[in-house]
Amino acid sequence: QELINDSKESNDASLQKACWKWERLREELEEEMMKPVSAGTTFQRKRRIDVALAMSDLVQRQRRRLDPTSDDAGNHSPVPSNIAQKNNLADALDSAIVVMLTKSSLGNQVDKDMAENILKFAYSGSTERIGDLLIKHPFAITTLLHNLFGTKRIRQLETRLKCARLIALAVTAAERAARSQQEGITVSNEESLYQIVLKGSQLCEQVENMVSFTAIDSVEEGQETSAGRQLSAMCIKYPVIAQGALIWAKELASNPDFVTTAAYPTLAPCILCLVRIISLHHPLARPAALEVSLIFISHSNSDISHQKMESIKEQCLRLMLLLSAQGLCIEVISAVKDKLRKNGSSELDSALIRYFVSGLLDTVQPPLTVPFCNAFCGLLVESQCLDALKSQHFEQGRRAQIIRLINEIENQAGGEGNGARFWSDARPILSTVKSVYSTGEVVN
C-alpha cells in the first residue's frame, strides 16, 4: 500500500494509471470475497472474510501503529502511549466499519448499533473521514443500499435514517474526490441528500405495493405528482437513487413468489421501463440493468397468458437491444447465447430469438470489431438459433441481410493493414455462417 501511495504521487501518467487499476482490482476482489455465500461452515465463511480484510487499511493501519487519521505512507513515527482521543475515535471508526462489513457478509442486517458506532466519529471528528473510508470499500456502500432499498429492507425509521446519512456521506466524499480531478463538479449538501436517499427508499417500498406505476423520462419531482413519477425523476437526478432502485428491482425480480402475484403482469412492465430510464441517464448502471432484464426473461407463469408473458419478454429484449447500442453489445449477445445453451427454449422460444436477431440486424452497422463478430456469429450458429432463423416464419429478406452483413465483414477483414492479423481467427466462423444461411433450405 505504501508503494501504491508513493506511485500515485509520481508524474508518470502510465504509473498512475497502473495504480488506479490495481486499486480497482483490490476493490473488486474484496467485494467478491465479501459477498454472502451459503456454502461452507460459518468458520469457513468467517475465514474468507478475514482474508478479504487482511490487507485492508482498516486493519493494517492499527497493526502498523501509525496515526489512524493519516493516509500519508511516509508517516512512520510511532503512536505515543498517551494516544489522543481523536486517534482513539479513528481506531474505533476503522473497527466499526470492519464489524459492519463482517456481519453483513455473514448475511446479517445493519442494525442501529452498527450504524451508530460508525457515526460516533462525527461527534468529535470530521464527517469527511467517514465518507472517505466508505468509498474505499464499495461493499460497505452496497450493503447500506441493500438495507435501505432491498426487499428485506430495515423497518426501524431511526436505523434507516442513520443508514441514509452514511450513504449521503459516501456520496459527498465521492463528489469531493471527483472535484479534485475535474472542475465544475459540485458537492451535495449532506443534510438534504440523506433526506433524498431516505425518500427514494420509501418510494421504492411504496411502488412495490402498487398494481402499477408510471415511469417517465422526466425530472418533475413535485409532491403532487405520483409515486412513480417522483421515483423516475429522482433516479434521473441522483445516481445513488438509481443504484438503489436497481438493487430493489433485482431483489424483487429474483423473488420466486413475485412472478406468481396478481400484480406481476402490470408491475413488471413498469419496473422494466424504470430500468430503461436509468440506463439512459447513468452509463455505469447499465451492467446492472442487463442483469435485471435477464432475470425477467427467466420468469415463467402458466397462470398468465402466453401473449402477456411474450410481451414482457419482448420488452426485456428491447431493453437489451438498447443496452447493446449503448456499449454492451458483446455482453448482451453473450448473455443470450448462455441462455440458449443452459435453458434452451424454456426461456427464449423461436419467436423471441427471431425478434432479438431482427433487432440486432437493425442496430449494427459496419465497421465492426473482431470480438463482436465472434460473439454475433457464435450466436447465429447455435442450434436453437439456426432452427428459429431458418424457419419459414423468419423473413427471407432478413437472411439476405445476414449474408450482406457477413460479406461486408469479410471485405473489412480482407483489407491490408496492421488489423488484418486479428481477423485470422474469425474467418472460419464467418465462412460457416455464410454457408449455413446462403442455402435456400427452410425448416418447417
Side-chain angles (χ1 to χ4, degrees):
Q1 183 63 41
E2 294 177 4
L3 179 61
I4 294 294
N5 290 337
D6 290 340
S7 301
K8 287 168 66 176
E9 298 176 359
S10 170
N11 295 325
D12 189 343
S14 60
L15 187 58
Q16 291 182 353
K17 187 176 181 180
C19 293
W20 293 335
K21 288 183 176 181
W22 174 260
E23 288 187 333
R24 181 57 183 161
L25 177 62
R26 180 195 60 77
E27 291 175 358
E28 291 179 349
L29 181 60
E30 178 183 296
E31 187 171 7
E32 186 64 30
M33 294 185 70
M34 295 294 291
K35 286 181 180 177
V37 292
S38 56
T41 64
T42 303
F43 174 78
Q44 290 172 331
R45 284 182 285 156
K46 285 185 177 179
R47 182 59 180 166
R48 178 187 175 100
I49 297 167
D50 290 341
V51 172
L53 294 173
M55 296 308 296
S56 168
D57 271 354
L58 296 173
V59 175
Q60 291 298 320
R61 253 194 304 265
Q62 297 182 48
R63 289 184 178 180
R64 292 198 301 262
R65 297 187 61 79
L66 303 179
D67 181 359
T69 62
S70 173
D71 291 323
D72 183 10
N75 180 13
H76 297 286
S77 57
V79 179
S81 57
N82 56 343
I83 186 168
Q85 179 67 18
K86 178 183 176 182
N87 291 356
N88 278 333
L89 284 171
D91 283 338
L93 173 61
D94 290 352
S95 300
I97 294 178
V98 168
V99 169
M100 185 185 73
L101 291 172
T102 302
K103 291 188 175 181
S104 300
S105 185
L106 292 173
N108 299 325
Q109 262 194 346
V110 174
D111 56 32
K112 176 184 174 182
D113 292 336
M114 284 190 212
E116 179 64 24
N117 288 336
I118 297 175
L119 288 171
K120 278 181 181 178
F121 183 80
Y123 300 155
S124 301
S126 169
T127 57
E128 292 186 0
R129 178 165 174 78
I130 299 176
D132 292 338
L133 284 179
L134 287 175
I135 62 175
K136 289 182 179 179
H137 302 275
F139 181 74
I141 303 172
T142 304
T143 295
L144 292 168
L145 288 172
H146 273 283
N147 281 270
L148 267 182
F149 288 84
T151 54
K152 297 180 181 179
R153 60 183 67 86
I154 298 169
R155 299 298 177 185
Q156 297 84 2
L157 178 59
E158 185 178 0
T159 308
R160 295 183 73 171
L161 284 169
K162 293 181 184 297
C163 289
R165 190 179 181 201
L166 288 173
I167 293 173
L169 290 174
V171 172
T172 53
E175 290 172 344
R176 284 196 306 272
R179 187 176 61 179
S180 66
Q181 301 292 330
Q182 181 179 347
E183 296 181 359
I185 297 177
T186 57
V187 178
S188 304
N189 180 270
E190 175 197 325
E191 294 298 324
S192 61
L193 184 58
Y194 97 87
Q195 293 288 349
I196 290 169
V197 172
L198 180 64
K199 182 181 178 182
S201 68
Q202 292 171 336
L203 287 172
C204 285
E205 184 177 7
Q206 187 176 346
V207 299
E208 182 181 330
N209 298 316
M210 293 181 175
V211 176
S212 66
F213 64 90
T214 303
I216 60 172
D217 194 353
S218 172
V219 291
E220 298 177 5
E221 269 193 273
Q223 293 292 335
E224 66 280 358
T225 59
S226 65
R229 289 173 179 264
Q230 291 182 56
L231 181 59
S232 301
M234 293 182 75
C235 287
I236 293 172
K237 291 180 65 176
Y238 305 104
V240 65
I241 305 298
Q243 187 176 356
L246 287 174
I247 288 174
W248 163 74
K250 184 177 178 180
E251 287 194 9
L252 182 63
S254 299
N255 187 348
D257 295 332
F258 172 59
V259 72
T260 63
T261 60
Y264 177 81
T266 52
L267 189 57
C270 301
I271 295 174
L272 289 169
C273 185
L274 178 64
V275 173
R276 180 186 64 82
I277 292 171
I278 291 173
S279 70
L280 287 172
H281 292 273
H282 304 288
L284 295 180
R286 288 165 188 168
L290 176 58
E291 291 178 10
V292 174
S293 64
L294 291 173
I295 294 172
F296 273 97
I297 276 186
S298 65
H299 287 169
S300 176
N301 185 353
S302 57
D303 294 332
I304 301 176
S305 68
H306 176 74
Q307 182 179 6
K308 184 60 180 178
M309 289 302 299
E310 287 286 289
S311 174
I312 293 174
K313 292 191 176 186
E314 284 180 0
Q315 187 178 356
C316 293
L317 292 176
R318 288 195 296 274
L319 173 58
M320 293 169 68
L321 289 170
L322 174 65
L323 293 172
S324 67
Q326 293 173 331
L328 296 184
C329 194
I330 296 175
E331 291 84 349
V332 167
I333 295 174
S334 299
V336 172
K337 190 161 55 175
D338 290 341
K339 284 282 184 186
L340 294 177
R341 288 179 177 176
K342 292 178 181 178
N343 303 303
S345 59
S346 61
E347 296 181 2
L348 288 172
D349 58 22
S350 296
L352 291 173
I353 294 173
R354 289 191 288 269
Y355 187 87
F356 177 72
V357 174
S358 297
L360 271 182
L361 291 173
D362 291 336
T363 303
V364 299
Q365 292 182 353
L368 303 172
T369 63
V370 177
F372 168 80
C373 294
N374 287 330
F376 183 56
C377 293
L379 174 65
L380 293 178
V381 296
E382 288 289 327
S383 58
Q384 290 180 334
C385 195
L386 282 171
D387 294 339
L389 300 186
K390 299 204 72 176
S391 165
Q392 60 182 348
H393 300 290
F394 193 60
E395 299 175 5
Q396 182 65 34
R398 288 294 189 183
R399 286 193 288 273
Q401 191 175 355
I402 292 175
I403 299 303
R404 288 197 299 272
L405 182 62
I406 297 300
N407 287 334
E408 290 176 355
I409 295 174
E410 286 183 334
N411 292 334
Q412 179 183 339
E416 297 294 333
N418 295 330
R421 59 188 178 91
F422 295 110
W423 289 95
S424 58
D425 294 335
R427 288 192 177 93
I429 196 169
L430 290 173
S431 302
T432 301
V433 173
K434 189 173 181 179
S435 63
V436 168
Y437 287 93
S438 293
T439 61
E441 178 185 359
V442 175
V443 179
N444 293 324

